Amino acid sequence: MSRAIWSIKNIAARANLLGSERCFSTSSQLYGGQDSPAWRSTPTQMTSSEAFTETLVANGLTNIFGIVGSAFMDALDIFPAAGIRFVSVQHEQNATHMADGYSRVTNKPSACIAQNGPGITNFVTGVAAAYWAHSPVVVITPETGSLTNGLGGFQETNQLPIFSEITKYQAHVVSPKRMAEFTNRCFHYAMMERGPVQLNIPRDMFYGDVETTIPKPMIIERSAGGPSAVQQATELLSSAKNPVIVSGGGVVMADGVAEVQALAEAI
């Protein structure tokens, strides 16, 4: 396998490799990018960290909140070239609250990441807040290496049970070959279930070469409600003497602010 473009620090040297090196969307700033890159349909050789990062890019992620940790350094190194800004915080709880707020404002999935063990346990309060706010936050939790699990490895703790009651879905990456699959699935569930999801990744899963495709993101559509329910609501509102509209975060999530404004003006 040829030398990865990320090991070459000089931008001009990287550009000279066009056509001779594998080139993903993480190099789009150098190579122009493609709307439908080959790896969307053709299995392509890349590292599992590249598969992870490419899937974040495919799902439109541009910011990720957290604290740097050795567990995910390989992926962190290629975030800038991928167009992903790593927003460093002073405490992991800040990262989850920032991701929660970002999702509420943009109505899009956001993500946070930290070091395994104590860094991840500091996520709990922020994830619980996101859970009750129905914010689609992808909580990325690097974990102690799979080969030392149960042996008291570096900052080892069983991270999945900690978040089991404050997430809508939990994924545990069991092989680098399934990195893209599980990462993509977490973004799907975050939007479908409207809440935080956990992507648990043993630190050794970030390393190694795989042959994989990067799946397209799923487009989540919301229904307008059942015809009889809508008709009943119309009759109740039209006959109300003092109608009151309680408009909360769900209106923003459903992209219905303009409709609620029009309704208020009509009644």
Side-chain angles (χ1 to χ4, degrees):
M1 183 184 67
S2 58
R3 188 183 182 192
I5 60 174
W6 310 117
S7 65
I8 300 174
K9 304 301 182 183
N10 184 275
I11 292 179
R14 291 187 198 174
N16 290 332
L17 293 176
L18 181 60
S20 62
E21 291 284 339
R22 62 181 191 260
C23 179
F24 310 114
S25 70
T26 48
S27 53
S28 62
Q29 296 179 15
L30 298 176
Y31 302 107
Q34 304 176 62
D35 292 333
S36 299
W39 45 247
R40 283 278 171 81
S41 56
T42 304
T44 305
Q45 189 176 38
M46 62 184 78
T47 69
S48 54
S49 283
E50 286 173 327
F52 168 72
T53 305
E54 292 302 326
T55 309
L56 300 181
V57 171
N59 281 276
L61 193 76
T62 56
N63 295 282
I64 187 167
F65 307 93
I67 290 182
V68 172
S70 60
F72 61 97
M73 289 297 291
D74 198 46
L76 181 69
D77 285 343
I78 57 179
F79 282 170
I84 297 175
R85 181 178 65 149
F86 182 82
V87 182
S88 184
V89 299
Q90 291 182 324
H91 190 280
E92 291 85 0
Q93 184 176 324
N94 296 350
T96 51
H97 286 313
M98 292 168 73
D100 178 12
Y102 190 85
S103 285
R104 296 192 203 190
V105 171
T106 63
N107 197 27
K108 295 178 181 179
S110 62
C112 54
I113 191 170
Q115 178 70 322
N116 66 286
I120 298 306
T121 58
N122 284 341
F123 274 171
V124 171
T125 298
V127 175
Y131 180 84
W132 292 111
H134 302 281
S135 300
V137 178
V138 178
V139 183
I140 303 166
T141 59
E143 191 177 64
T144 190
S146 60
L147 296 179
T148 60
N149 201 344
L151 300 177
F154 178 64
Q155 299 183 169
E156 179 179 346
T157 188
N158 194 355
Q159 297 177 171
L160 288 169
I162 294 172
F163 297 92
S164 62
E165 294 189 4
I166 52 174
T167 52
K168 296 289 188 176
Y169 172 75
Q170 293 177 292
H172 179 76
V173 178
V174 295
S175 167
K177 295 179 180 179
R178 301 187 68 183
M179 178 72 84
E181 172 198 344
F182 281 122
T183 304
N184 198 50
R185 190 180 297 176
C186 280
F187 278 88
H188 293 174
Y189 275 104
M191 290 302 290
M192 284 193 296
E193 300 292 336
R194 293 305 310 197
V197 299
Q198 181 183 7
L199 177 60
N200 200 58
I201 310 174
R203 56 191 301 148
D204 51 310
M205 296 299 157
F206 283 102
Y207 299 92
D209 291 320
V210 297
E211 190 168 285
T212 187
T213 57
I214 306 299
K216 293 182 179 180
M218 180 182 295
I219 304 300
I220 308 299
E221 296 183 356
R222 304 291 175 187
S223 68
S228 60
V230 172
Q231 179 61 35
Q232 184 180 10
T234 301
E235 294 172 356
L236 288 171
L237 285 171
S238 61
S239 61
K241 294 181 179 180
N242 297 294
V244 175
I245 297 176
V246 180
S247 177
V251 174
V252 178
M253 294 175 188
D255 196 25
V257 174
E259 287 78 1
V260 171
Q261 181 179 348
L263 175 63
E265 294 171 350
I267 62 175

